[in-house]
Amino acid sequence: MLISEILNKIRPTFSFEFFPPKTKEASEELYQTINTLVPLEPSFVTITYGAGGTTRELTRDLVIRLQRDNKLTVVSHLTAVNAPKDEIYQFYKNIRKMVW
């Protein structure tokens, strides 16, 4: 569901925001943590897309996994710092292809 639809339909709306994992181990730990929060039925969750490019793949993989496994609406905050336009576009294109 789109965030605009969530904000218009669901009251009250609440979400959880997470910093990007920096290692594969941290990504798995964050995945498990978010799974423990799923029963609270957040309207959506957000994960910051790592600035500087150091955690982009971990964030991408985690977003895809969470949406696939939990049917959560997951938002990835795209950070354009040090990222060429075509790289951001490719990230978006890959997420759309894998999730929708």
Side-chain angles (χ1 to χ4, degrees):
M1 183 179 293
L2 297 173
I3 297 301
S4 60
E5 293 171 344
I6 290 171
L7 295 174
N8 285 327
K9 291 181 182 179
I10 301 172
R11 300 281 187 223
T13 301
F14 78 97
S15 65
F16 295 108
E17 181 173 1
F18 303 97
F19 288 106
K22 294 185 183 200
T23 65
K24 287 184 180 185
E25 295 78 16
S27 182
E28 183 59 32
E29 185 176 338
L30 179 54
Y31 176 81
Q32 296 304 326
T33 298
I34 294 171
N35 276 334
T36 65
L37 298 171
V38 168
L40 297 174
E41 298 180 358
S43 303
F44 57 93
V45 299
T46 64
I47 304 171
T48 303
Y49 181 73
T54 58
T55 63
R56 290 179 181 153
E57 289 78 21
L58 289 171
T59 300
R60 179 200 62 218
D61 294 346
L62 183 59
V63 167
I64 292 167
R65 186 176 175 200
L66 286 166
Q67 286 195 268
R68 182 192 64 221
D69 295 353
N70 297 299
K71 306 301 183 213
L72 286 171
T73 298
V74 184
V75 177
S76 176
H77 290 205
L78 291 176
T79 305
V81 174
N82 296 327
K85 181 179 177 181
D86 60 329
E87 185 179 315
I88 293 172
Y89 175 76
Q90 191 63 39
F91 177 86
Y92 171 76
K93 187 174 157 185
N94 288 338
I95 291 288
R96 274 192 70 85
K97 180 173 56 175
M98 294 178 188
V99 175
W100 280 279

XYZ file of all heavy atoms in Angstrom:
820
model
N 0.850 -1.173 0.000
C 0.000 0.000 0.000
C 0.898 1.239 0.000
O 1.935 1.264 0.642
C -0.893 -0.019 1.243
C -1.876 1.121 1.295
S -2.997 1.135 2.734
C -3.973 -0.307 2.419
N 0.471 2.255 -0.698
C 1.217 3.506 -0.727
C 1.090 4.241 0.603
O 0.058 4.154 1.278
C 0.704 4.406 -1.849
C 0.850 3.885 -3.271
C 0.148 4.813 -4.247
C 2.316 3.731 -3.642
N 2.133 4.975 0.966
C 2.112 5.731 2.215
C 0.948 6.727 2.212
O 0.265 6.894 3.221
C 3.454 6.456 2.445
C 4.586 5.437 2.579
C 3.396 7.363 3.669
C 4.430 4.449 3.705
N 0.689 7.369 1.088
C -0.427 8.324 1.027
C -1.753 7.628 1.321
O -2.619 8.195 1.997
C -0.473 9.014 -0.332
O -0.638 8.063 -1.377
N -1.921 6.404 0.845
C -3.144 5.647 1.135
C -3.224 5.285 2.614
O -4.282 5.382 3.230
C -3.197 4.375 0.292
C -3.348 4.621 -1.185
C -3.168 3.366 -2.010
O -2.640 2.360 -1.493
O -3.558 3.396 -3.187
N -2.114 4.888 3.171
C -2.068 4.542 4.594
C -2.464 5.757 5.436
O -3.290 5.650 6.334
C -0.668 4.032 4.991
C -0.421 2.663 4.359
C -0.517 3.972 6.512
C 1.007 2.166 4.496
N -1.870 6.895 5.127
C -2.153 8.102 5.907
C -3.602 8.556 5.769
O -4.166 9.136 6.698
C -1.194 9.223 5.508
C 0.282 8.965 5.835
C 1.152 10.078 5.258
C 0.511 8.810 7.318
N -4.216 8.280 4.640
C -5.611 8.665 4.431
C -6.605 7.675 5.025
O -7.717 8.049 5.375
C -5.907 8.835 2.938
C -5.325 10.104 2.376
O -5.248 11.112 3.071
N -4.909 10.056 1.131
N -6.231 6.401 5.136
C -7.181 5.363 5.541
C -7.029 4.889 6.978
O -7.999 4.483 7.600
C -7.043 4.144 4.623
C -7.506 4.379 3.222
C -7.353 3.117 2.408
C -7.785 3.354 0.968
N -7.632 2.165 0.161
N -5.835 4.882 7.484
C -5.586 4.262 8.780
C -5.443 5.335 9.851
O -4.617 6.228 9.733
C -4.330 3.371 8.725
C -4.514 2.277 7.669
C -4.033 2.767 10.090
C -3.269 1.450 7.402
N -6.223 5.212 10.903
C -6.140 6.125 12.051
C -6.158 5.317 13.330
O -7.011 4.447 13.462
C -7.315 7.105 12.062
C -7.413 7.966 10.849
C -6.432 9.110 10.920
N -6.690 10.012 9.799
C -5.751 10.541 9.065
N -4.512 10.327 9.321
N -6.053 11.321 8.075
N -5.353 5.530 14.264
C -4.152 6.360 14.159
C -3.091 5.649 13.329
O -3.115 4.434 13.182
C -3.701 6.530 15.604
C -4.155 5.287 16.288
C -5.462 4.922 15.597
N -2.180 6.414 12.812
C -1.066 5.881 12.027
C 0.197 5.949 12.875
O 0.456 6.947 13.524
C -0.854 6.737 10.761
O -2.051 6.709 9.996
C 0.281 6.215 9.925
N 0.946 4.852 12.894
C 2.247 4.903 13.549
C 3.224 4.022 12.792
O 2.835 3.093 12.088
C 2.166 4.514 15.036
C 2.074 3.037 15.292
C 3.210 2.311 15.596
C 0.848 2.373 15.234
C 3.127 0.949 15.840
C 0.766 1.021 15.477
C 1.902 0.304 15.776
N 4.484 4.363 12.917
C 5.524 3.618 12.215
C 6.762 3.506 13.088
O 6.886 4.183 14.111
C 5.881 4.327 10.907
O 6.456 5.587 11.175
N 7.654 2.645 12.653
C 8.966 2.516 13.287
C 10.007 2.913 12.264
O 9.882 2.589 11.082
C 9.230 1.065 13.723
C 8.308 0.570 14.789
C 7.321 -0.353 14.490
C 8.426 1.023 16.094
C 6.471 -0.825 15.476
C 7.575 0.561 17.087
C 6.599 -0.372 16.776
N 11.038 3.615 12.714
C 12.129 4.006 11.831
C 13.419 3.381 12.348
O 13.700 3.414 13.542
C 12.283 5.521 11.775
C 13.389 5.964 10.851
C 13.441 7.466 10.645
O 12.624 8.181 11.231
O 14.319 7.908 9.897
N 14.203 2.838 11.425
C 15.442 2.146 11.793
C 16.615 2.700 11.009
O 16.484 3.081 9.843
C 15.310 0.642 11.508
C 14.152 0.015 12.217
C 12.945 -0.184 11.571
C 14.258 -0.359 13.550
C 11.865 -0.754 12.227
C 13.191 -0.931 14.214
C 11.983 -1.124 13.547
N 17.764 2.719 11.655
C 19.003 3.069 10.970
C 19.453 1.863 10.171
O 19.131 0.721 10.516
C 20.091 3.465 11.975
C 19.846 4.790 12.619
C 19.424 4.868 13.935
C 20.021 5.967 11.909
C 19.183 6.090 14.536
C 19.789 7.194 12.497
C 19.364 7.254 13.815
N 20.227 2.079 9.118
C 20.644 0.954 8.283
C 21.634 0.052 9.016
O 22.472 0.536 9.774
C 21.305 1.625 7.080
C 21.785 2.938 7.605
C 20.767 3.354 8.643
N 21.536 -1.237 8.780
C 22.522 -2.154 9.365
C 23.866 -1.966 8.664
O 23.917 -1.671 7.476
C 21.925 -3.532 9.073
C 21.073 -3.330 7.867
C 20.537 -1.931 7.964
N 24.934 -2.136 9.438
C 26.276 -1.935 8.867
C 26.983 -3.242 8.517
O 27.984 -3.230 7.816
C 27.128 -1.116 9.827
C 26.598 0.290 9.974
C 27.488 1.153 10.818
C 26.801 2.491 10.949
N 27.604 3.575 11.311
N 26.459 -4.351 9.029
C 27.050 -5.664 8.739
C 25.927 -6.654 8.458
O 24.759 -6.388 8.776
C 27.860 -6.191 9.935
O 26.962 -6.420 11.036
C 28.969 -5.226 10.340
N 26.282 -7.808 7.901
C 25.274 -8.848 7.665
C 24.669 -9.319 8.988
O 23.474 -9.591 9.064
C 25.885 -10.026 6.919
C 26.158 -9.718 5.473
C 26.676 -10.923 4.736
C 26.943 -10.553 3.286
N 27.334 -11.702 2.494
N 25.499 -9.398 10.009
C 25.005 -9.820 11.326
C 24.008 -8.808 11.880
O 22.969 -9.171 12.423
C 26.164 -10.019 12.304
C 27.103 -11.151 11.947
C 28.094 -10.821 10.829
O 28.296 -9.620 10.500
O 28.647 -11.780 10.256
N 24.332 -7.533 11.739
C 23.431 -6.484 12.211
C 22.134 -6.478 11.405
O 21.053 -6.232 11.949
C 24.107 -5.122 12.125
N 22.219 -6.793 10.121
C 21.027 -6.875 9.283
C 20.112 -7.994 9.762
O 18.894 -7.817 9.854
C 21.429 -7.104 7.823
O 20.289 -7.143 7.007
N 20.684 -9.130 10.078
C 19.886 -10.246 10.593
C 19.266 -9.903 11.942
O 18.093 -10.212 12.195
C 20.756 -11.509 10.711
C 19.990 -12.727 11.173
C 18.837 -13.109 10.244
O 18.929 -12.897 9.023
O 17.825 -13.639 10.764
N 20.022 -9.250 12.794
C 19.498 -8.841 14.103
C 18.347 -7.844 13.936
O 17.313 -7.955 14.619
C 20.608 -8.227 14.954
C 20.173 -7.903 16.358
C 21.317 -7.379 17.212
O 22.501 -7.631 16.887
O 21.018 -6.708 18.219
N 18.501 -6.895 13.018
C 17.432 -5.929 12.766
C 16.199 -6.628 12.197
O 15.072 -6.334 12.592
C 17.910 -4.830 11.819
C 16.896 -3.756 11.452
C 16.290 -3.093 12.698
C 17.541 -2.709 10.554
N 16.403 -7.569 11.304
C 15.285 -8.340 10.743
C 14.510 -9.034 11.867
O 13.282 -8.981 11.921
C 15.812 -9.361 9.736
C 14.747 -10.260 9.176
C 13.928 -9.829 8.137
C 14.548 -11.539 9.686
C 12.936 -10.644 7.618
C 13.559 -12.363 9.175
C 12.761 -11.909 8.142
O 11.774 -12.728 7.650
N 15.226 -9.667 12.777
C 14.570 -10.357 13.901
C 13.856 -9.362 14.817
O 12.757 -9.631 15.304
C 15.586 -11.190 14.686
C 16.207 -12.326 13.894
C 15.194 -13.288 13.310
O 14.150 -13.555 13.890
N 15.502 -13.805 12.125
N 14.470 -8.224 15.055
C 13.849 -7.187 15.898
C 12.539 -6.708 15.273
O 11.515 -6.586 15.951
C 14.808 -6.003 16.092
O 15.971 -6.470 16.778
C 14.165 -4.879 16.886
N 12.581 -6.428 13.986
C 11.370 -5.967 13.302
C 10.297 -7.048 13.354
O 9.116 -6.752 13.558
C 11.692 -5.514 11.868
C 12.580 -4.262 11.917
C 10.410 -5.246 11.081
C 13.155 -3.836 10.576
N 10.691 -8.312 13.214
C 9.725 -9.407 13.309
C 9.020 -9.420 14.658
O 7.836 -9.757 14.740
C 10.395 -10.754 13.066
C 10.520 -11.073 11.606
O 9.752 -10.592 10.780
N 11.496 -11.886 11.274
N 9.732 -9.057 15.717
C 9.087 -9.037 17.036
C 8.083 -7.889 17.149
O 7.192 -7.937 17.995
C 10.111 -8.934 18.186
O 10.782 -7.681 18.112
C 11.104 -10.081 18.157
N 8.237 -6.861 16.298
C 7.329 -5.710 16.317
C 6.127 -5.876 15.386
O 5.151 -5.126 15.509
C 8.098 -4.444 15.939
C 9.234 -4.060 16.888
C 10.056 -2.928 16.294
C 8.695 -3.694 18.252
N 6.169 -6.834 14.486
C 5.081 -7.049 13.525
C 3.717 -7.216 14.208
O 2.729 -6.637 13.743
C 5.396 -8.231 12.582
C 4.180 -8.653 11.780
C 6.541 -7.866 11.644
N 3.617 -7.965 15.312
C 2.300 -8.107 15.959
C 1.687 -6.779 16.428
O 0.473 -6.699 16.646
C 2.582 -9.024 17.148
C 3.784 -9.803 16.745
C 4.611 -8.834 15.933
N 2.482 -5.739 16.563
C 1.952 -4.420 16.936
C 1.256 -3.739 15.755
O 0.635 -2.693 15.928
C 3.072 -3.536 17.473
C 3.742 -4.026 18.749
C 4.929 -3.132 19.107
C 2.747 -4.086 19.894
N 1.381 -4.332 14.579
C 0.752 -3.844 13.346
C 1.075 -2.382 13.030
O 0.175 -1.541 12.895
C -0.760 -4.068 13.394
C -1.134 -5.520 13.501
C -2.640 -5.762 13.540
O -3.435 -4.791 13.518
O -3.015 -6.940 13.600
N 2.360 -2.078 12.890
C 2.702 -0.708 12.501
C 2.122 -0.402 11.122
O 1.981 -1.292 10.280
C 4.231 -0.713 12.468
C 4.597 -2.139 12.226
C 3.533 -2.950 12.918
N 1.789 0.839 10.896
C 1.261 1.239 9.594
C 2.312 1.033 8.509
O 1.995 0.682 7.374
C 0.832 2.705 9.642
O -0.107 2.900 10.671
N 3.561 1.272 8.857
C 4.698 1.021 7.972
C 5.965 1.104 8.803
O 5.932 1.537 9.954
C 4.749 2.009 6.789
C 4.798 3.454 7.171
C 6.008 4.118 7.299
C 3.627 4.171 7.388
C 6.053 5.460 7.648
C 3.653 5.514 7.716
C 4.867 6.161 7.856
N 7.074 0.660 8.228
C 8.383 0.816 8.862
C 9.311 1.477 7.850
O 9.119 1.347 6.646
C 8.985 -0.532 9.350
C 8.102 -1.174 10.392
C 9.228 -1.486 8.205
N 10.293 2.212 8.359
C 11.255 2.859 7.476
C 12.670 2.448 7.864
O 12.967 2.224 9.031
C 11.146 4.399 7.525
O 11.474 4.853 8.832
C 9.765 4.871 7.150
N 13.502 2.341 6.853
C 14.917 2.037 7.061
C 15.704 3.039 6.229
O 15.472 3.171 5.025
C 15.269 0.607 6.629
C 14.392 -0.407 7.369
C 16.759 0.334 6.868
C 14.521 -1.818 6.859
N 16.605 3.748 6.858
C 17.411 4.737 6.153
C 18.399 4.033 5.233
O 19.063 3.079 5.622
C 18.162 5.630 7.154
O 17.200 6.233 8.008
C 18.954 6.705 6.446
N 18.454 4.503 4.025
C 19.378 3.994 3.004
C 20.725 4.644 3.272
O 20.843 5.861 3.264
C 18.814 4.395 1.649
C 19.555 3.981 0.419
C 19.546 2.664 0.004
C 20.201 4.924 -0.358
C 20.172 2.298 -1.174
C 20.830 4.568 -1.533
C 20.809 3.248 -1.936
O 21.419 2.883 -3.098
N 21.731 3.851 3.556
C 23.003 4.353 4.043
C 23.669 5.435 3.225
O 23.923 5.260 2.049
N 23.945 6.536 3.852
C 24.663 7.633 3.203
C 26.098 7.214 2.915
O 26.709 6.492 3.682
C 24.643 8.865 4.100
N 26.611 7.648 1.806
C 27.981 7.341 1.445
C 28.154 5.985 0.789
O 29.243 5.618 0.392
N 27.077 5.214 0.694
C 27.125 3.960 -0.041
C 27.591 2.737 0.711
O 27.638 1.649 0.159
N 27.913 2.880 1.990
C 28.497 1.748 2.708
C 27.501 0.664 3.081
O 27.893 -0.480 3.272
C 29.197 2.231 3.992
O 28.250 2.916 4.804
C 30.364 3.150 3.663
N 26.222 1.003 3.183
C 25.241 -0.009 3.620
C 24.097 -0.176 2.631
O 23.082 -0.785 2.961
C 24.657 0.372 4.996
O 23.947 1.610 4.866
C 25.727 0.486 6.053
N 24.235 0.326 1.441
C 23.122 0.309 0.484
C 22.615 -1.088 0.172
O 21.411 -1.325 0.165
C 23.533 1.015 -0.802
C 23.677 2.498 -0.594
C 24.104 3.184 -1.864
N 24.242 4.615 -1.579
C 25.043 5.410 -2.225
N 25.782 4.970 -3.200
N 25.099 6.678 -1.901
N 23.505 -2.021 -0.094
C 23.067 -3.365 -0.443
C 22.384 -4.057 0.732
O 21.384 -4.748 0.552
C 24.249 -4.216 -0.945
C 24.754 -3.814 -2.309
C 25.635 -2.563 -2.268
O 26.179 -2.236 -1.187
O 25.762 -1.913 -3.310
N 22.914 -3.848 1.925
C 22.271 -4.442 3.111
C 20.872 -3.881 3.300
O 19.932 -4.616 3.610
C 23.121 -4.190 4.361
C 24.433 -4.959 4.462
C 25.255 -4.447 5.643
C 24.173 -6.446 4.593
N 20.719 -2.583 3.100
C 19.402 -1.960 3.239
C 18.461 -2.497 2.174
O 17.326 -2.881 2.472
C 19.499 -0.428 3.137
O 20.345 0.048 4.178
C 18.131 0.221 3.257
N 18.909 -2.527 0.948
C 18.074 -3.032 -0.155
C 17.605 -4.455 0.125
O 16.417 -4.761 0.031
C 18.851 -2.994 -1.464
C 18.042 -3.524 -2.661
C 18.923 -3.931 -3.820
N 19.800 -5.019 -3.395
C 21.063 -5.144 -3.782
N 21.611 -4.256 -4.574
N 21.783 -6.153 -3.371
N 18.520 -5.317 0.493
C 18.174 -6.713 0.745
C 17.217 -6.854 1.926
O 16.295 -7.675 1.892
C 19.438 -7.536 1.001
C 20.329 -7.626 -0.233
O 19.867 -7.282 -1.348
O 21.497 -8.034 -0.069
N 17.411 -6.052 2.950
C 16.541 -6.100 4.118
C 15.131 -5.614 3.772
O 14.141 -6.227 4.176
C 17.132 -5.266 5.253
C 16.367 -5.264 6.573
C 16.224 -6.681 7.129
C 17.056 -4.361 7.580
N 15.031 -4.542 3.013
C 13.720 -4.026 2.597
C 12.962 -5.089 1.813
O 11.786 -5.365 2.078
C 13.880 -2.729 1.768
C 12.588 -2.354 1.053
C 14.351 -1.598 2.654
N 13.622 -5.693 0.866
C 12.984 -6.730 0.044
C 12.540 -7.903 0.909
O 11.409 -8.392 0.796
C 13.938 -7.193 -1.065
C 14.138 -6.064 -2.076
C 13.417 -8.451 -1.746
C 15.281 -6.294 -3.035
N 13.400 -8.349 1.781
C 13.086 -9.491 2.651
C 11.907 -9.196 3.575
O 11.013 -10.023 3.744
C 14.333 -9.846 3.463
C 14.197 -11.077 4.294
C 15.516 -11.379 4.970
N 15.383 -12.496 5.876
C 16.212 -12.769 6.860
N 17.279 -11.996 7.046
N 16.020 -13.789 7.639
N 11.892 -8.014 4.170
C 10.798 -7.654 5.074
C 9.465 -7.583 4.350
O 8.453 -8.076 4.846
C 11.090 -6.321 5.760
C 12.146 -6.361 6.848
C 12.596 -4.955 7.211
C 11.619 -7.102 8.073
N 9.449 -6.986 3.179
C 8.194 -6.900 2.430
C 7.737 -8.279 1.979
O 6.559 -8.588 2.042
C 8.348 -5.965 1.235
C 8.383 -4.517 1.670
C 8.179 -3.570 0.528
O 9.148 -3.136 -0.067
N 6.952 -3.258 0.237
N 8.653 -9.091 1.550
C 8.310 -10.422 1.058
C 7.829 -11.328 2.183
O 6.809 -12.011 2.063
C 9.530 -11.044 0.372
C 9.261 -12.421 -0.220
C 10.537 -13.126 -0.621
N 11.334 -13.371 0.576
C 12.649 -13.227 0.655
N 13.333 -12.822 -0.381
N 13.292 -13.479 1.763
N 8.538 -11.332 3.300
C 8.256 -12.282 4.373
C 7.132 -11.852 5.307
O 6.485 -12.700 5.920
C 9.514 -12.522 5.221
C 10.623 -13.189 4.433
O 10.397 -13.590 3.275
O 11.731 -13.296 4.986
N 6.923 -10.554 5.462
C 5.983 -10.070 6.468
C 4.832 -9.263 5.916
O 3.972 -8.852 6.663
C 6.716 -9.196 7.498
C 7.740 -9.989 8.249
O 7.397 -10.937 8.918
N 8.997 -9.609 8.129
N 4.833 -8.995 4.644
C 3.790 -8.171 4.033
C 3.707 -6.789 4.682
O 2.659 -6.176 4.745
C 2.427 -8.868 4.074
C 2.418 -10.246 3.477
C 2.842 -10.247 2.032
C 2.745 -11.652 1.461
N 3.727 -11.939 0.474
N 4.828 -6.327 5.196
C 4.903 -4.984 5.755
C 5.056 -3.970 4.631
O 5.629 -4.270 3.589
C 6.137 -4.844 6.653
C 6.125 -5.507 8.005
C 7.515 -5.431 8.621
C 5.116 -4.848 8.914
N 4.568 -2.783 4.859
C 4.910 -1.677 3.980
C 6.218 -1.121 4.517
O 6.287 -0.676 5.655
C 3.809 -0.601 3.975
O 2.607 -1.191 3.471
C 4.214 0.588 3.118
N 7.254 -1.214 3.701
C 8.586 -0.797 4.126
C 9.051 0.342 3.229
O 8.972 0.254 2.010
C 9.599 -1.963 4.048
C 10.951 -1.531 4.580
C 9.089 -3.190 4.785
N 9.511 1.408 3.862
C 10.008 2.566 3.137
C 11.513 2.632 3.335
O 12.003 2.537 4.453
C 9.356 3.865 3.672
C 9.927 5.091 2.967
C 7.850 3.791 3.537
N 12.230 2.785 2.243
C 13.669 2.987 2.319
C 13.948 4.446 1.995
O 13.608 4.924 0.916
C 14.379 2.086 1.316
O 15.747 2.337 1.317
N 14.518 5.157 2.956
C 14.876 6.555 2.729
C 16.111 6.580 1.839
O 17.192 6.195 2.274
C 15.225 7.237 4.049
C 14.060 7.436 4.949
N 14.037 8.429 5.887
C 12.882 6.785 5.071
C 12.894 8.374 6.543
N 12.192 7.383 6.068
N 15.952 7.009 0.622
C 17.087 7.083 -0.284
C 17.950 8.293 0.044
O 17.451 9.412 0.124
C 16.625 7.168 -1.733
C 15.983 5.906 -2.285
C 15.478 6.157 -3.697
C 16.950 4.750 -2.260
N 19.221 8.050 0.247
C 20.172 9.118 0.511
C 21.023 9.289 -0.738
O 21.672 8.349 -1.174
C 21.062 8.760 1.718
O 20.224 8.467 2.812
C 21.996 9.890 2.065
N 21.015 10.473 -1.294
C 21.705 10.707 -2.554
C 23.162 11.143 -2.376
O 23.853 11.367 -3.355
C 20.952 11.748 -3.363
N 23.647 11.230 -1.154
C 25.012 11.647 -0.903
C 25.979 10.662 -1.564
O 25.895 9.452 -1.356
C 25.290 11.727 0.618
C 26.754 12.029 0.883
C 24.394 12.753 1.266
N 26.869 11.180 -2.379
C 27.885 10.386 -3.058
C 27.317 9.290 -3.958
O 27.991 8.304 -4.219
C 28.856 9.748 -2.054
C 29.651 10.781 -1.308
O 29.978 11.839 -1.848
N 29.954 10.510 -0.060
N 26.088 9.433 -4.411
C 25.487 8.430 -5.287
C 25.139 9.061 -6.629
O 24.402 10.046 -6.683
C 24.226 7.859 -4.646
N 25.661 8.488 -7.697
C 25.298 9.001 -9.020
C 23.807 8.772 -9.299
O 23.204 7.825 -8.786
C 26.143 8.172 -9.983
C 27.155 7.473 -9.148
C 26.625 7.414 -7.759
N 23.244 9.630 -10.105
C 21.818 9.560 -10.434
C 21.435 8.179 -10.959
O 20.413 7.628 -10.569
C 21.488 10.638 -11.469
C 20.053 10.697 -11.876
C 19.853 11.824 -12.880
C 18.425 11.876 -13.368
N 18.244 12.954 -14.344
N 22.249 7.617 -11.838
C 21.911 6.311 -12.416
C 21.929 5.198 -11.359
O 21.171 4.236 -11.445
C 22.814 5.969 -13.590
C 24.286 5.912 -13.233
O 24.710 6.657 -12.332
O 25.016 5.124 -13.868
N 22.749 5.322 -10.342
C 22.789 4.328 -9.269
C 21.501 4.359 -8.444
O 20.945 3.315 -8.101
C 23.995 4.573 -8.364
C 24.167 3.518 -7.290
C 25.396 3.784 -6.439
O 26.456 4.103 -7.000
O 25.279 3.673 -5.203
N 21.016 5.544 -8.134
C 19.761 5.678 -7.390
C 18.607 5.139 -8.231
O 17.746 4.403 -7.741
C 19.515 7.138 -6.980
C 20.571 7.547 -5.952
C 18.109 7.323 -6.410
C 20.564 9.006 -5.612
N 18.600 5.474 -9.511
C 17.560 4.978 -10.403
C 17.581 3.450 -10.448
O 16.536 2.798 -10.387
C 17.733 5.557 -11.805
C 16.752 4.997 -12.794
C 15.423 5.427 -12.797
C 17.134 4.018 -13.701
C 14.513 4.891 -13.688
C 16.229 3.480 -14.588
C 14.919 3.918 -14.581
O 14.017 3.376 -15.466
N 18.761 2.862 -10.540
C 18.879 1.402 -10.594
C 18.383 0.757 -9.300
O 17.710 -0.271 -9.330
C 20.340 0.994 -10.856
C 20.512 -0.469 -11.179
C 19.796 -0.871 -12.452
O 19.778 -0.145 -13.437
N 19.187 -2.034 -12.442
N 18.679 1.369 -8.166
C 18.192 0.870 -6.878
C 16.667 0.841 -6.891
O 16.033 -0.145 -6.575
C 18.700 1.743 -5.735
C 18.181 1.343 -4.377
C 18.821 0.365 -3.630
C 17.041 1.940 -3.854
C 18.335 -0.010 -2.387
C 16.551 1.577 -2.607
C 17.203 0.596 -1.881
N 16.070 1.947 -7.286
C 14.610 2.061 -7.348
C 14.030 1.008 -8.295
O 13.063 0.317 -7.977
C 14.215 3.469 -7.790
C 12.755 3.612 -8.091
C 11.820 3.694 -7.060
C 12.300 3.655 -9.404
C 10.465 3.808 -7.335
C 10.959 3.770 -9.685
C 10.045 3.842 -8.649
O 8.714 3.946 -8.930
N 14.628 0.882 -9.447
C 14.152 -0.069 -10.457
C 14.215 -1.501 -9.921
O 13.276 -2.275 -10.096
C 15.004 0.089 -11.710
C 14.556 -0.682 -12.895
C 15.415 -0.297 -14.088
C 15.423 -1.380 -15.129
N 16.328 -1.072 -16.224
N 15.297 -1.845 -9.251
C 15.442 -3.190 -8.686
C 14.423 -3.460 -7.589
O 13.855 -4.549 -7.507
C 16.853 -3.406 -8.149
C 17.866 -3.553 -9.250
O 17.541 -3.888 -10.375
N 19.116 -3.267 -8.928
N 14.190 -2.475 -6.727
C 13.207 -2.641 -5.652
C 11.819 -2.859 -6.247
O 11.088 -3.755 -5.861
C 13.206 -1.417 -4.697
C 14.503 -1.377 -3.896
C 11.995 -1.416 -3.782
C 14.629 -2.427 -2.838
N 11.430 -2.031 -7.200
C 10.108 -2.172 -7.827
C 9.943 -3.543 -8.451
O 8.917 -4.173 -8.309
C 9.886 -1.103 -8.897
C 9.352 0.189 -8.347
C 8.884 1.113 -9.452
N 7.690 0.684 -10.124
C 6.451 0.920 -9.710
N 6.248 1.552 -8.587
N 5.415 0.542 -10.399
N 10.962 -3.992 -9.168
C 10.885 -5.275 -9.863
C 10.746 -6.429 -8.871
O 9.992 -7.367 -9.094
C 12.141 -5.452 -10.719
C 12.175 -6.752 -11.488
C 13.346 -6.809 -12.450
C 14.643 -6.585 -11.744
N 15.820 -6.738 -12.564
N 11.445 -6.354 -7.743
C 11.450 -7.454 -6.783
C 10.247 -7.458 -5.860
O 9.858 -8.493 -5.368
C 12.718 -7.399 -5.952
C 13.959 -7.664 -6.744
S 15.403 -7.515 -5.679
C 16.688 -7.620 -6.871
N 9.672 -6.296 -5.624
C 8.612 -6.194 -4.619
C 7.232 -6.185 -5.236
O 6.316 -6.809 -4.734
C 8.832 -4.948 -3.743
C 7.686 -4.761 -2.772
C 10.147 -5.088 -2.992
N 7.050 -5.433 -6.326
C 5.702 -5.318 -6.887
C 5.392 -6.447 -7.787
O 5.711 -6.878 -8.678
C 5.524 -3.978 -7.592
C 5.260 -2.897 -6.637
C 4.069 -2.590 -6.066
C 6.201 -1.956 -6.102
N 4.201 -1.527 -5.214
C 5.503 -1.116 -5.219
C 7.546 -1.741 -6.283
C 6.102 -0.088 -4.537
C 8.147 -0.726 -5.605
C 7.432 0.097 -4.750
